């Protein structure tokens, strides 16, 4: 029976009829919509649930706010998780990071865990082209399930940030961030900027790390991108450019590649108008060859760029 099923899958694929990943979409960006799209995925967050977000750099204002995500975090009895950064700023040490977490109000809505506060650990990666393992916050071992809750926006180095970045750079410890950013050259944040690799190697390292986390969690991950406040700059920027593009909605999937691809498609296919211009974000993504991460993530088997978009507003 197994052999028959595999042969059928190969035949369907050769005919272009392979099952497509499902990406759910709502135009509404509210606490209620976040819970609704989570439930639409049909995969319940069970056990000890980590909700991976970016807590945002002090001074920044585009990060996902506690009042938006609080209802979902409570719905799953989750713990908000983050890791320290590998650059100077308000989150490069645990002490400074906790100050930012409290400043932004995340500790008021749920438990918060800086996963590399007590150290990090290595986890395997399937794709060892650049990195030979992933270095993540040690507390990742304390969780059974992850909700990868990302803010989709631009990024100065990656071109854009979505769930793939949130699961790679975001889950990596400070040393892990340096390791990924340098495509496996160094682990010291102090040596990061003098060891930057070819851009595609960095993007490919992120894809490999994201796959490593998915495998470590045994597939117990769901993925959500919130397309609001889409500046060309990341939430790691304390003084981001103001968004030129209007908010689009929330998208979610069990496939991180399909999800980031769907969000990219929304940006690249957007018909710009005065006060609603996708050109700056597209230019930022293209400047950094940002779309390469989804191409490479598909190549190594993390997911598929082929998807069906399901509008839950019409259900």
């Amino acid at each position: 029976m197994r052999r028959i099923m595999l042969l059928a899958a190969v035949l369907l694929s050769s005919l272009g009829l392979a099952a497509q990943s499902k990406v759910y979409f709502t135009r509404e960006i509210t606490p209620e919509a976040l819970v609704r799209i989570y439930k639409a995925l049909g995969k319940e967050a069970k056990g000890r649930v980590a909700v991976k977000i970016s807590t945002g750099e002090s001074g920044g204002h585009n990060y996902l706010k506690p009042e938006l995500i609080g209802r979902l975090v409570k719905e799953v009895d989750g713990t908000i998780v983050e890791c320290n950064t590998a650059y100077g700023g308000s989150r490069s040490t645990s002490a400074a990071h906790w100050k930012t977490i409290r400043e932004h109000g995340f500790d008021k809505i749920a438990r918060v865990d800086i996963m590399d506060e007590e150290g990090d650990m290595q986890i395997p990666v399937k794709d060892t082209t650049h990195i030979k393992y992933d270095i993540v916050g040690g507390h990742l071992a304390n969780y059974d399930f992850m909700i990868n809750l990302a803010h989709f926006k631009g990024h100065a180095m990656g071109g854009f940030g979505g769930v793939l970045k949130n699961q790679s750079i975001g889950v990596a410890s400070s040393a892990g961030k340096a390791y990924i950013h340098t495509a496996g050259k160094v682990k010291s944040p102090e040596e990061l900027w003098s060891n930057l690799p070819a851009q595609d190697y960095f993007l490919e390292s992120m894809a490999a790390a994201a796959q490593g986390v998915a495998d470590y969690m045994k597939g117990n991950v769901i993925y959500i991108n919130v397309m609001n406040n889409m500046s060309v700059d990341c939430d790691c920027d304390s003084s981001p450019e103001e968004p030129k593009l209007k908010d689009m909605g929330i998208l979610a999937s069990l496939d991180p590649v399909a999800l980031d691809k769907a969000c990219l498609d929304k940006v690249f296919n957007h018909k710009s108008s005065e006060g609603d211009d996708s050109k700056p974000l597209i230019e930022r993504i293209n400047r950094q060859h940002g779309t390469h991460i989804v191409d490479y993530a598909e190549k190594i088997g993390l997911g598929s760029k082929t998807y069906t978009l399901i509008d839950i507003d019409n259900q």
Side-chain angles (χ1 to χ4, degrees), residues 106-122:
F106 289 108
D107 61 318
K108 294 180 176 63
I109 64 166
R111 299 180 298 273
V112 183
D113 180 8
I114 300 175
M115 291 194 293
D116 61 337
E117 185 170 19
E118 297 178 306
D120 52 27
M121 65 179 182
Q122 295 180 8

Side-chain angles (χ1 to χ4, degrees), residues 233-283:
D233 294 319
C234 180
D235 298 338
C236 56
D237 192 323
S238 61
S239 301
E241 286 287 328
E242 287 301 312
K244 303 295 190 297
L245 183 61
K246 287 186 178 178
D247 297 350
M248 290 186 174
I250 304 173
L251 290 85
S253 182
L254 302 181
D255 181 340
V257 179
L259 178 55
D260 273 358
K261 180 62 165 65
C263 292
L264 287 168
D265 287 346
K266 280 197 168 291
V267 172
F268 278 82
N269 295 329
H270 179 71
K271 294 181 179 179
S272 294
S273 58
E274 186 175 353
D276 187 19
D277 188 5
S278 59
K279 185 179 178 181
L281 182 51
I282 290 172
E283 288 178 345

Side-chain angles (χ1 to χ4, degrees), residues 124-282:
V125 294
K126 286 178 181 173
D127 176 45
T128 57
T129 304
H130 306 295
I131 59 174
K132 306 309 175 187
Y133 42 78
D134 191 16
I135 310 171
V136 301
H139 291 180
L140 183 65
N142 298 335
Y143 300 98
D144 309 302
F145 198 103
M146 179 180 290
I147 296 181
N148 181 338
L149 179 54
H151 175 212
F152 188 90
K153 71 286 177 187
H155 191 274
M157 297 188 73
F160 79 96
V163 290
L164 290 172
K165 179 179 179 295
N166 196 39
Q167 192 158 293
S168 54
I169 291 293
V171 176
S173 66
S174 293
K177 287 176 171 65
Y179 190 59
I180 295 167
H181 267 292
T182 61
K185 289 183 182 179
V186 301
K187 303 171 190 175
S188 168
E190 290 75 21
E191 299 178 76
L192 191 164
W193 303 110
S194 59
N195 285 279
L196 294 179
Q199 176 65 5
D200 281 1
Y201 293 175
F202 161 51
L203 298 171
E204 290 166 6
S205 298
M206 280 205 293
Q211 185 179 47
V213 173
D215 290 343
Y216 180 81
M217 299 301 296
K218 299 180 173 62
N220 291 322
V221 187
I222 63 172
Y223 302 91
I224 303 173
N225 270 334
V226 181
M227 299 186 76
N228 71 341
N229 298 320
M230 288 180 284
S231 168
V232 299
D233 294 319
C234 180
D235 298 338
C236 56
D237 192 323
S238 61
S239 301
E241 286 287 328
E242 287 301 312
K244 303 295 190 297
L245 183 61
K246 287 186 178 178
D247 297 350
M248 290 186 174
I250 304 173
L251 290 85
S253 182
L254 302 181
D255 181 340
V257 179
L259 178 55
D260 273 358
K261 180 62 165 65
C263 292
L264 287 168
D265 287 346
K266 280 197 168 291
V267 172
F268 278 82
N269 295 329
H270 179 71
K271 294 181 179 179
S272 294
S273 58
E274 186 175 353
D276 187 19
D277 188 5
S278 59
K279 185 179 178 181
L281 182 51
I282 290 172

Side-chain angles (χ1 to χ4, degrees), residues 23-42:
V23 177
Y24 296 86
F25 169 63
T26 176
R27 295 164 190 82
E28 186 181 335
I29 304 177
T30 64
E32 294 78 14
L34 260 180
V35 173
R36 191 165 68 249
I37 206 164
Y38 154 68
K39 290 184 176 180
L41 291 169

Side-chain angles (χ1 to χ4, degrees), residues 17 20 45 74 123 158 171 201-202 205 234 240 292 299 305 314:
L17 299 174
Q20 297 185 344
K74 185 176 181 180
I123 62 173
V171 176
Y201 293 175
F202 161 51
S205 298
C234 180
H292 181 62
K299 179 182 176 181
K305 294 188 296 180
N314 297 325

Side-chain angles (χ1 to χ4, degrees), residues 70-103:
R71 184 166 295 191
L72 174 60
V73 177
K74 185 176 181 180
E75 174 78 22
V76 300
D77 190 24
T79 298
I80 293 171
V81 303
E82 252 281 43
C83 283
N84 292 324
T85 61
Y87 53 86
S90 70
R91 297 179 297 149
S92 59
T93 67
S94 294
H97 199 162
W98 275 115
K99 184 178 179 182
T100 302
I101 287 166
R102 295 182 181 108
E103 175 186 308

